[in-house]
Amino acid sequence: MGTAQRAYTKMTAHRTYQAILTKYLSATNTKGSRIKASAAAGNITLHLDHALSSEANHAQAAEALAEKFGWAGSWQMGSMPSDSGFCFVCRCAGDEPAFITGGAA
């Protein structure tokens, strides 16, 4: 059993989800622009859909990766430092937040 499969088995057995990071990959001489979604369990790369916004393309890639590993739930999106992409975290029903701030909504 490979490393990714062991990680997947461990995650599904304990209902542990991983953060999904996405980033934009520029076009090359042989490939068009793409969005890569990555987690410790693996990654997936999708061609950029020019009909969608940048955020929607990143969300689509993150959703595809979550579906690949059977991760169900409500996902929250946040930007990464230096506009290097986005981070997605799962908030499942009944999960307690790590913290709650009193800032403006």
Side-chain angles (χ1 to χ4, degrees):
M1 184 182 314
T3 303
Q5 183 61 40
R6 280 193 301 276
Y8 174 73
T9 302
K10 181 179 177 185
M11 288 180 311
T12 56
H14 302 306
R15 208 189 101 204
T16 300
Y17 294 87
Q18 299 174 12
I20 297 174
L21 303 178
T22 61
K23 68 178 180 177
Y24 171 80
L25 301 175
S26 300
T28 66
N29 289 337
T30 59
K31 296 179 182 178
S33 299
R34 301 160 323 272
I35 302 292
K36 182 175 185 177
S38 303
N43 63 69
I44 194 167
T45 303
L46 300 180
H47 291 284
L48 191 73
D49 183 344
H50 294 283
L52 300 177
S53 68
S54 175
E55 291 84 359
N57 271 289
H58 285 265
Q60 184 178 56
E63 182 179 7
L65 186 63
E67 288 179 356
K68 176 180 177 180
F69 291 111
W71 297 339
S74 174
W75 292 81
Q76 302 296 313
M77 176 181 185
S79 62
M80 295 293 291
S82 305
D83 294 326
S84 61
F86 294 91
C87 178
F88 296 81
V89 293
C90 186
R91 175 90 192 269
C92 297
D95 285 353
E96 293 295 322
F99 59 88
I100 299 174
T101 61

